[in-house]
């Protein structure tokens, strides 16, 4: 009896160690913590990818037309010609950027996007686009809440987000 229980125990521990190790070994792309990401992005929004376009065959990057549901940060910075189709869509570039861990989307994906207005050196090709600044984030209540608290400055430490792929 006793030894069997010990064995089960051992087995449980072994499984846990393997699980933790596998997460760690696969997570070769550590993400900056959320506070840093929020700080670096002037605009944070939730939206759904409607169309993938402007594939760059050399750099393997692309842009997406995204229907915006909500701005979590920087709504007032997004105006003029950045707004498309009557104002509720934007073009976001920089998908596939190897400098960003979670950088791929498909049509129909809904995500939290951390973006910036395109810097002038990328004009004219990317004028009036927003640029992905850090990893895409899945929409969960917890993620939304954490991002909101970060934006409001209510969390001193905004959590470490690591993307396990
Ligand atoms: C994100 O934005 C910051 C400026 O806020 C910039 O320094 C950094 O290079 C950007 N990162 C990417 C991956 O574009």
């Amino acid at each position: 009896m006793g030894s069997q229980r010990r064995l089960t125990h051992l087995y449980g521990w072994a499984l846990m160690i393997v699980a933790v190790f596998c997460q760690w070994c696969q997570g070769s792309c550590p993400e900056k913590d959320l506070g840093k990401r929020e700080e670096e992005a002037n605009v944070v929004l939730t939206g759904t990818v409607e169309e993938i376009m402007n594939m760059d065959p050399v750099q393997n990057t692309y842009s997406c037309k995204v229907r915006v549901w909500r701005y979590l940060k920087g709504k007032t910075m997004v105006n003029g010609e950045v707004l498309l189709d009557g104002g509720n869509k934007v073009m976001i570039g920089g998908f596939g950027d190897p400098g960003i861990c979670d950088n791929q989307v498909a049509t129909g994906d809904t995500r939290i996007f951390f973006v910036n207005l395109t810097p002038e050196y990328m004009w004219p090709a990317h004028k009036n686009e927003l640029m992905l600044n850090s990893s895409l984030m899945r929409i969960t209540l917890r993620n939304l809440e954490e991002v909101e608290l970060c934006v409001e400055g209510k969390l001193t430490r905004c959590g470490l987000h690591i993307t396990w792929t």
Side-chain angles (χ1 to χ4, degrees):
M1 267 305 258
S3 73
Q4 200 179 1
R5 204 166 61 211
R6 220 173 18 242
L7 211 68
T8 313
H9 227 101
L10 216 73
Y11 184 64
W13 272 107
L15 261 185
M16 209 171 84
I17 288 166
V18 167
V20 167
F21 181 74
C22 275
Q23 285 202 334
W24 174 76
C25 66
Q26 283 182 359
S28 53
C29 190
E31 194 62 74
K32 286 179 193 163
D33 73 49
L34 189 57
K36 191 92 194 145
R37 293 176 56 192
E38 184 271 312
E39 209 176 278
E40 285 189 351
N42 289 312
V43 179
V44 181
L45 57 88
T46 60
T48 302
V49 175
E50 291 215 327
E51 206 179 331
I52 291 177
M53 47 220 302
N54 304 332
M55 281 270 186
D56 182 327
V58 181
Q59 311 226 322
N60 275 316
T61 55
Y62 53 95
S63 303
C64 295
K65 192 187 265 188
V66 173
R67 170 181 285 273
V68 179
W69 300 115
R70 193 148 75 91
Y71 290 91
L72 300 168
K73 179 183 178 182
K75 184 182 199 300
T76 53
M77 298 193 65
V78 184
N79 50 40
E81 287 174 55
V82 178
L83 293 170
L84 307 173
D85 295 354
N88 52 9
K89 293 179 194 170
V90 292
M91 192 71 76
I92 299 178
F95 294 94
D97 180 342
I100 298 174
C101 295
D102 191 353
N103 61 21
Q104 300 288 345
V105 281
T107 310
D109 284 352
T110 300
R111 295 284 183 274
I112 305 173
F113 299 89
F114 292 76
V115 298
N116 274 323
L117 294 173
T118 307
E120 254 175 77
Y121 71 83
M122 294 181 95
W123 293 5
H126 295 281
K127 198 173 178 200
N128 296 326
E129 271 188 27
L130 300 170
M131 272 292 149
L132 200 61
N133 188 254
S134 61
S135 283
L136 300 157
M137 201 184 234
R138 277 169 200 279
I139 301 220
T140 62
L141 259 174
R142 180 161 181 258
N143 282 346
L144 280 173
E145 206 171 75
E146 266 189 58
V147 174
E148 278 177 349
L149 287 172
C150 266
V151 171
E152 290 165 16
K154 284 185 185 156
L155 281 185
T156 43
R157 185 183 152 279
C158 290
L160 183 70
H161 273 259
I162 298 173
T163 319
W164 314 116
T165 44

